[in-house]
Amino acid sequence: WCGPCRIIAPVVEQIASERADTLVVGKLDVDKHGPIAARYGVQGIPFLGLFEHGQLTRQAIGAMPKAQLEKQLGLAD
């Protein structure tokens, strides 16, 4: 139901494909898994989080172009 989530989905899929050797991408339905969303302070969607060693280290909220998303998540080369 989330329009911005549908907009950013192809960007996330492209990043996942390009970085398959170093990055694992997963999705979480915040409506069905509210306690998990609350644990990480999700207040808006799409919420994109980068986890390193089980810890949320970077995050981005909202639909954005690929380059901007990679920059916000610290993935830009």
Side-chain angles (χ1 to χ4, degrees), residues 4-27:
C5 298
R6 282 187 256 155
I7 291 170
I8 201 168
V11 172
V12 173
E13 290 171 14
Q14 183 181 10
I15 291 170
S17 175
E18 291 173 357
R19 298 175 181 272
D21 56 333
T22 60
L23 191 67
V24 175
V25 174
K27 296 179 184 180

Side-chain angles (χ1 to χ4, degrees), residues 6-59:
R6 282 187 256 155
I7 291 170
I8 201 168
V11 172
V12 173
E13 290 171 14
Q14 183 181 10
I15 291 170
S17 175
E18 291 173 357
R19 298 175 181 272
D21 56 333
T22 60
L23 191 67
V24 175
V25 174
K27 296 179 184 180
L28 176 77
D29 183 331
V30 297
D31 290 332
K32 292 181 181 177
H33 304 283
I36 295 171
R39 180 184 324 155
Y40 295 106
V42 176
Q43 295 181 351
I45 55 175
F47 175 93
L48 299 108
L50 181 70
F51 290 80
E52 297 179 83
H53 307 289
Q55 299 296 318
L56 179 64
T57 58
R58 292 182 181 250
Q59 60 188 353

